[in-house]
């Protein structure tokens, strides 16, 4: 699919639930109204949308949430997506807490990679940030993924409260393990504007002080906009995904499907197209494709982050990141 600005759209972020077993303060408040079960797409409905998108050129699906592993049968969905003609890669983003337990099934289903969200290695800081004392299980998930040899990345949102040493400890995972550690700039979506970020420039300076050989690389290591840095001492790389301070909209390749079946065109805005009603109202495959094609033409040129709170009214757990 090509959007109205000539950008090729080949990547779909598929949110399979708005529920989560953590409560990261920048993402999801303790008491949040959940979408009623009947309004969440069934897996077959999600696969239908992905198959239509695949016929239009989408070849990569990222399964997200809420916490995707909190929805029963995630591995079965991965297997069904991998069987869709045209889908080359299916990866997962997870907080890792349920990963060790589900990894064997996910790998048998053909999962191509996993991103584990981990913002601190300090158990008490993790509990304060996520509302749950689950760091040990999240780390078990990470170790299980590394032991299995599946392509693994760590996504960390650098926060002022984590501090320089806390962030360096996270980056050091790339020293001891073959894993890329990516720092994702805090975005003013939902509750993201309520926490103080750790500045990307200050973080890069701290990383360079710790690993003086750190140098940028153009090597492509993922599906998206991360800029990577490597050093002789590092087995993995450190990456930055800086949507706000280093806008990459000109190269945007993605759309998002919420668990309710709403096709979202840009993270920043609430606009998009409801696909649940046509899915449940008997739309044909050709009609579904046409809806997708027309929707993608409405994709905005760029976000407006940095100009106050994002116009999107959904919180991040309802979008999928
Ligand atoms: N629960 C899964 C996880 O944590 O990976 C998948 C969903 S979560 C919404 C996806 C990603 O969005 C996580 O890496 C999380 O850190 C990130 N995220 C949530 N709110 C954010 C915000 N306001 N700014 C930047 N990233 C955010
Ligand atoms: Fe849950 Fe992921 Fe949001 Fe944290 S970032 S509350 S793990 S959905």
């Amino acid at each position: 699919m090509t959007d109205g600005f000539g950008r090729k759209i080949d990547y779909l972020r598929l949110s399979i639930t708005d529920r989560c077993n953590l409560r990261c303060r920048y993402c999801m408040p303790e008491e949040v109204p959940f979408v009623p079960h009947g309004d969440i797409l069934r897996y077959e409905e999600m696969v239908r949308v992905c198959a239509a998108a695949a016929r239009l050129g989408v070849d990569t699906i990222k399964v997200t949430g809420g916490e995707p592993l909190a929805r029963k049968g995630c591995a079965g969905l991965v297997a069904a997506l991998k069987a869709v003609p045209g889908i080359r890669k299916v990866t997962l983003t997870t907080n890792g807490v349920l990963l060790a337990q589900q990894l064997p099934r996910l790998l048998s289903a053909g999962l191509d990679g996993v991103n584990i969200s981990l913002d601190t290695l300090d158990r008490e800081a993790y509990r304060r940030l996520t509302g749950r004392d689950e760091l040990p299980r999240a780390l078990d998930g990470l170790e299980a993924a590394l032991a299995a040899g599946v392509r693994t990345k760590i996504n960390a949102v650098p926060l002022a409260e984590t501090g320089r040493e806390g962030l360096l400890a996270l980056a050091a995972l790339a020293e001891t393990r073959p894993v890329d550690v990516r720092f994702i700039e805090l975005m003013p979506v939902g509750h993201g504007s309520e926490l103080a970020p750790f500045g990307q420039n200050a973080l890069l300076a701290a990383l360079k002080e710790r690993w003086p050989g750190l140098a940028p690389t153009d090597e492509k290591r993922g599906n998206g906009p991360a800029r990577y840095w490597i050093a002789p001492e590092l087995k993995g790389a450190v990456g930055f995904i800086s949507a706000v301070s280093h806008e990459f909209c000109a190269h945007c390749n993605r759309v998002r499907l919420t668990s309710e079946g709403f096709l979202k065109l840009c993270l920043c805005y609430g606009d998009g197209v409801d696909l649940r009603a046509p899915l449940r109202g008997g739309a044909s495959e050709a009609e579904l494709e046409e809806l997708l094609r027309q929707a993608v033409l409405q994709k905005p040129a760029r976000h407006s982050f940095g100009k106050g709170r994002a116009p999107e009214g959904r919180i991040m757990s309802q979008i999928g990141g």
Side-chain angles (χ1 to χ4, degrees):
M1 277 182 286
T2 305
D3 76 1
F5 301 94
R7 292 172 296 193
K8 188 175 162 209
I9 307 300
D10 56 11
Y11 175 87
L12 174 71
R13 291 183 70 94
L14 175 67
S15 174
I16 66 169
T17 178
D18 63 331
R19 288 151 169 85
C20 187
N21 48 355
L22 298 184
R23 288 293 182 276
C24 302
R25 281 175 14 241
Y26 50 71
C27 181
M28 191 177 187
E30 199 60 54
E31 297 305 330
V32 61
F34 291 122
V35 177
H37 282 293
D39 289 350
I40 302 246
L41 292 194
R42 296 187 298 275
Y43 283 149
E44 309 85 80
E45 293 171 319
M46 292 179 177
V47 172
R48 246 191 103 193
V49 174
C50 292
R55 290 192 296 275
L56 298 172
V58 166
D59 60 8
T60 304
I61 309 273
K62 171 82 74 198
V63 177
T64 177
E67 172 49 42
L69 300 183
R71 180 166 174 183
K72 269 200 208 113
C74 183
L77 172 71
V78 169
L81 292 172
K82 286 285 291 188
V84 168
I87 297 298
R88 220 171 29 87
K89 236 164 83 177
V90 178
T91 60
L92 176 79
T93 178
T94 169
N95 58 36
V97 172
L98 300 171
L99 185 61
Q101 167 193 335
Q102 296 190 28
L103 192 65
R105 268 173 283 157
L106 289 162
L107 293 179
S108 308
L111 187 74
D112 293 293
V114 58
N115 291 358
I116 300 178
S117 301
L118 191 59
D119 299 333
T120 174
L121 294 175
D122 179 277
R123 187 164 176 174
E124 181 49 28
Y126 185 95
R127 195 196 55 73
R128 272 198 310 275
L129 181 61
T130 67
R132 305 287 185 268
D133 183 25
E134 291 283 22
L135 181 64
R137 284 213 292 170
L139 292 176
D140 285 351
L142 171 63
E143 295 306 337
L146 291 172
V150 58
R151 179 118 175 96
T152 305
K153 293 181 204 149
I154 292 173
N155 287 340
V157 177
L159 297 169
E161 64 191 60
T162 310
R164 178 192 153 100
E165 293 312 312
L167 294 168
L168 285 174
L170 276 172
L173 289 172
E175 192 173 46
T176 51
R177 296 162 172 83
V179 67
D180 291 352
V181 178
R182 295 127 45 97
F183 292 103
I184 303 187
E185 196 169 27
L186 184 65
M187 287 177 281
V189 174
H191 298 274
S193 37
E194 292 163 20
L195 273 73
F198 192 101
Q200 301 264 306
N201 290 342
L203 177 54
L204 182 57
L207 294 169
K208 283 181 175 165
E209 216 174 283
R210 169 79 175 264
W211 295 288
L214 203 66
T217 171
D218 287 334
E219 199 187 324
K220 187 158 166 51
R221 302 176 77 98
N223 309 312
R227 292 168 301 128
Y228 286 100
W229 296 68
I230 49 175
E233 303 87 346
L234 298 183
K235 294 192 173 109
V238 286
F240 285 87
I241 302 180
S242 317
V244 185
S245 58
H246 295 80
E247 185 194 292
F248 38 72
C249 303
H251 306 289
C252 188
N253 63 344
R254 61 197 57 197
V255 288
R256 296 170 165 83
L257 187 72
T258 72
S259 56
E260 300 162 85
F262 186 81
L263 187 79
K264 226 179 107 54
L265 303 169
C266 172
L267 186 55
C268 180
Y269 309 101
D271 309 66
V273 171
D274 170 47
L275 297 179
R276 189 180 62 209
L279 275 170
R280 294 186 178 175
S284 68
E285 299 311 318
E287 283 163 346
L288 211 48
E289 282 174 31
E290 189 53 21
L291 277 169
L292 286 170
R293 212 181 279 114
Q294 290 304 324
V296 158
L297 289 174
Q298 306 305 315
K299 188 173 159 67
R302 57 201 300 185
H303 68 62
S304 56
F305 292 139
K307 303 186 178 93
R309 200 188 170 114
E312 168 60 276
R314 295 176 183 83
I315 58 175
M316 205 63 120
S317 55
Q318 296 165 336
I319 300 172

